[in-house]
Amino acid sequence: MSSIRAFLLAGVLGSMTAVILTTSVVGYRSARHEIGEIYDANLVQYARLLHALLAAREPAQAATLVRALVLPDLGGADEEAIEDRLAAEPGLIESIGHPYERKFAFQLLDADGGVVLQSPQAPAVPFAALRPGIARAHHGDDTWVVFTTRDGDSANWLQVAERLEVREELIEEIAVLSVTPQLLALPAILLLVYWVVGRGLAPLVKMARAIGRRAPENLRPMQWERLPRELAPLDAAVNRLMLRLDGALERERRFTADAAHELKTPLTVLKVHAHNAVSAPDAATRDKALEHLLQGVDRTAHLVTQLLTLARVEPAPQATATVDLVRLVREEVAALAPLALQRGQELQFASEREHVGTAGDEAALKGLVRNLLDNAIRYTPVDGRIAVSLDWRDARVRLRVSDSGPGIAEDLCERVFERFFRVPGNRDQGAGLGLSIVKRAADHHRAAVSLGRRRDNGDFYVEVSFPGEAQS
Amino acid sequence: MTRRAGDGAATILRHGALTIDPRSRRVTWEDAEVALTRREFDLLHELLRQRGRVLTREQLEASLYGWQQDVDSNAIEVHVHKLRRKLARDLIRNVRGVGYCIER
């Protein structure tokens, strides 16, 4: 499982470390360069000064000058101890000098490189090759930065040198000083980011807890005080799901209640007929009661069948496969045709094409066609006409069942799709589920159901228009 | 629920003035023998066997010709037309666009 907190922590710390390292490297390089320039300039100036001094004196006096440059014995104490002493006694620098003095040296050389004069710290050979300019040279364990210049009159060389570690020390100091605080700050930043991320994620945790604590039957939309904007889509999605679930549950509850209620009446009627048969005074009355009983059983069986069909269609179509609508409709018409023939009705089916593939649930589609046809046969008078047709308009497949029956009054057109709704005054004992089944099955197939009257003969029709995927 | 009329193919079937004997393939109408072709007899037998049901053209073709591919698209129509002429006009009902049936 991935963690937002871990991701944020790793991201923030990773990028911060990268930034610190980059700025440190860049800072170190530029500090090194600038410090190098300053020290080089000092070295050159020192050389010029010395050069001027040496040139102004006689060679004998020069030796005096060099003697003056001999440094006092520091008694073998290390640099740090001397620095501490100097810091404690400011006057001491007059007598013992500064320990870093030992890190500077010079040499006066003749044209062949023979040493004429030199400071005590210098080696007995030239510091570096006799070429004007700045160079590096190694003597013993030390590295020196050497400035070489030439006296134009005497053809002597002057070399002034400084130990490299003098500037290296400063550069290192600067680098360490600039990077250390930032690195030390990292753990603090880590803690801060950890805390801030925790605070930032708190509403999410709160939300999860609130959802987790909900009772399963509580499907009301959630209410929040101060919901962060980023969580609003999640909140909206959850609330939409709740609303849908609530709707589905409500339908389920109503369906069960309605079904129970609808079954109660026919069962009471059956009981009355059975009772009549038992208490009939003669055979003729009993036979009549039994006949009523049989009819009642048929009607109840029909109601149960319709309820089962609706229950199957209700939640969601089972399997989706390619269904040949022409074949399916023709078979359903054939199955119900004998009923129409019995009633002397003229029934016909017409399709513009021989085959049409539609993605759908075969059982639901059969329920749809059967109920349309069943309604037509049921409500069309004897000798009436019923026409079933399949045609294609604007990339949609239209299934139309029309009949010369009374149809449905316009003000009832909305209500006929409700469950258990029966057209008032209707003598027939239908279950009131036919068009609900049609509507539900159509919805599952993204098909639209409409009612109307034909222009040619004024017959009432129910039309189901499927999104086309027509293959002729 | 469909209850098939006459289960065995060998049973003598009667329907009004019509009698057909699948074993000898004899057909009589008002006691007079009527001569039918093989296909006509098969078609009449199938419709009578499933009296009361509407059989689609595809179903009838399958029962007469099996899985033969090149069946003339109006072969069934032609056979029905001839049967009506040889027997009675209203014996075989047509449900337009769907199929044929012999009513109970």
Side-chain angles (χ1 to χ4, degrees):
Chain A
M1 217 163 91
S2 68
S3 156
I4 294 178
R5 189 192 288 249
F7 170 78
L8 289 178
L9 277 177
V12 169
L13 289 178
S15 31
M16 285 208 55
T17 310
V19 168
I20 289 173
L21 285 179
T22 313
T23 54
S24 299
V25 167
V26 171
Y28 176 77
R29 276 163 185 261
S30 62
R32 190 187 178 86
H33 177 77
E34 289 305 317
I35 289 168
E37 298 260 326
I38 292 170
Y39 274 75
D40 286 349
N42 275 344
L43 203 59
V44 172
Q45 202 180 27
Y46 176 42
R48 272 192 215 297
L49 195 61
L50 202 59
H51 189 245
L53 280 172
L54 289 174
R57 301 185 180 225
E58 290 302 307
Q61 287 177 312
T64 322
L65 178 73
V66 173
R67 264 196 304 281
L69 288 170
V70 173
L71 297 174
D73 183 14
L74 292 179
D78 63 14
E79 280 174 17
E80 276 182 43
I82 297 163
E83 275 185 73
D84 288 346
R85 276 178 65 195
L86 282 172
E89 300 172 58
L92 212 58
I93 197 155
E94 287 286 325
S95 55
I96 64 170
H98 193 277
Y100 275 29
E101 279 185 283
R102 275 161 185 74
K103 300 189 179 192
F104 295 90
F106 73 88
Q107 280 181 329
L108 186 65
L109 307 156
D110 60 28
D112 303 324
V115 176
V116 180
L117 269 177
Q118 68 170 30
S119 62
Q121 305 83 16
V125 293
F127 266 114
L130 294 175
R131 259 198 312 275
I134 290 175
R136 304 224 166 163
H138 300 277
H139 290 282
D141 293 337
D142 303 321
T143 305
W144 297 83
V145 181
V146 185
F147 176 65
T148 307
T149 182
R150 189 166 202 181
D151 181 358
D153 298 334
S154 62
N156 282 347
W157 292 90
L158 180 65
Q159 285 193 326
V160 181
E162 175 202 281
R163 293 251 291 272
L164 183 66
E165 63 193 60
V166 175
R167 56 180 80 183
E168 290 288 293
E169 212 169 83
L170 182 63
I171 291 166
E172 263 165 44
E173 194 93 333
I174 286 172
V176 168
L177 276 178
S178 67
V179 175
T180 314
Q182 302 192 59
L183 288 180
L184 285 179
L186 268 185
I189 293 168
L190 185 120
L191 281 175
L192 263 169
V193 171
Y194 187 85
W195 179 77
V196 167
V197 170
R199 283 296 298 256
L201 291 178
L204 197 60
V205 176
K206 207 172 116 192
M207 197 175 195
R209 265 202 217 114
I211 296 176
R213 270 202 305 266
R214 282 210 149 199
E217 62 274 9
N218 179 4
L219 292 174
R220 283 191 305 278
M222 296 187 292
Q223 300 283 333
W224 308 103
E225 323 160 20
R226 287 186 309 172
L227 186 73
R229 198 180 313 144
E230 289 79 3
L231 284 184
L234 181 62
D235 174 56
V238 169
N239 279 341
R240 273 199 302 277
L241 176 66
M242 298 253 221
L243 217 65
R244 281 205 302 276
L245 276 176
D246 196 37
L249 264 183
E250 180 55 35
R251 274 200 303 279
E252 206 79 359
R253 269 197 288 268
R254 219 174 47 223
F255 181 76
T256 313
D258 288 354
H261 179 77
E262 290 299 316
L263 279 169
K264 224 169 128 183
T265 320
L267 285 175
T268 313
V269 172
L270 289 183
K271 194 177 171 187
V272 169
H273 290 315
H275 195 261
N276 287 349
V278 167
S279 58
D282 52 70
T285 318
R286 189 173 57 241
D287 283 353
K288 199 162 183 199
L290 284 176
E291 201 178 304
H292 285 311
L293 184 61
L294 278 177
Q295 286 167 1
V297 169
D298 280 346
R299 275 199 294 274
T300 314
H302 172 69
L303 172 60
V304 171
T305 310
Q306 290 285 72
L307 279 174
L308 284 176
T309 310
L310 186 57
R312 252 200 309 272
V313 172
E314 191 79 10
Q318 300 303 308
T320 301
T322 303
V323 180
D324 181 356
L325 261 186
V326 179
R327 179 189 56 77
L328 185 141
V329 173
R330 181 175 286 134
E331 284 178 8
E332 287 308 309
V333 175
L336 288 178
L339 278 178
L341 294 180
Q342 250 174 44
R343 292 170 62 92
Q345 293 159 339
E346 183 202 323
L347 173 65
Q348 65 168 60
F349 170 61
S351 170
E352 277 184 356
R353 302 184 192 178
E354 263 307 296
H355 301 283
V356 58
T358 289
D361 173 9
E362 174 139 2
L365 287 171
K366 274 184 175 170
L368 181 150
V369 177
R370 195 178 311 138
N371 275 287
L372 283 179
L373 211 53
D374 187 70
N375 273 350
I377 295 169
R378 209 179 270 271
Y379 299 115
T380 301
V382 169
D383 297 333
R385 61 174 174 268
I386 298 163
V388 182
S389 65
L390 272 175
D391 56 28
W392 281 257
R393 293 286 177 279
D394 309 321
R396 290 182 81 84
V397 186
R398 291 196 317 185
L399 167 67
R400 207 181 238 204
V401 178
S402 75
D403 64 62
S404 60
I408 296 167
E410 239 172 79
D411 54 335
L412 294 176
C413 281
E414 286 298 312
R415 298 201 57 202
V416 288
F417 296 110
E418 291 172 17
R419 274 190 305 230
F420 304 112
F421 177 79
R422 295 191 190 87
V423 173
N426 184 353
R427 308 269 297 281
D428 194 272
Q429 301 284 309
L433 289 173
L435 283 174
S436 317
I437 293 171
V438 169
K439 183 79 171 79
R440 294 299 300 177
D443 286 349
H444 286 322
H445 291 87
R446 290 176 291 124
V449 184
S450 55
L451 310 175
R453 289 205 174 266
R454 280 168 64 149
R455 291 222 186 103
D456 54 350
N457 57 12
D459 278 5
F460 175 77
Y461 68 73
V462 182
E463 181 184 289
V464 184
S465 151
F466 295 90
E469 186 192 319
Q471 306 158 3
S472 49
Chain B
M1 271 172 282
T2 24
R3 222 169 291 147
R4 294 188 180 227
D7 272 315
T11 327
I12 293 178
L13 298 167
R14 289 193 178 82
H15 180 76
L18 177 71
T19 308
I20 81 168
D21 182 353
R23 209 169 300 164
S24 60
R25 299 181 72 89
R26 276 163 48 115
V27 177
T28 57
W29 180 259
E30 287 171 343
D31 295 332
E33 190 164 340
V34 184
L36 297 182
T37 66
R38 185 163 70 95
R39 301 288 189 207
E40 285 163 12
F41 179 86
D42 288 345
L43 177 60
L44 183 65
H45 182 218
E46 186 64 20
L47 285 169
L48 207 53
R49 220 165 53 81
Q50 305 212 35
R51 233 177 310 185
R53 289 186 68 199
V54 176
L55 302 178
T56 65
R57 209 184 70 204
E58 290 90 335
Q59 287 168 325
L60 290 170
E61 276 171 6
S63 97
L64 259 68
Y65 299 93
W67 298 109
Q68 211 173 305
Q69 286 297 303
D70 47 349
V71 179
D72 194 356
S73 66
N74 59 359
I76 299 291
E77 209 183 320
V78 171
H79 294 321
V80 168
H81 180 70
K82 289 199 175 137
L83 278 173
R84 279 173 173 163
R85 238 183 26 202
K86 288 178 179 177
L87 300 166
R89 268 238 69 82
D90 56 355
L91 175 68
I92 298 170
R93 292 285 306 263
N94 171 22
V95 179
R96 252 203 291 161
V98 182
Y100 300 93
C101 85
I102 292 178
E103 283 186 88
R104 265 179 192 286

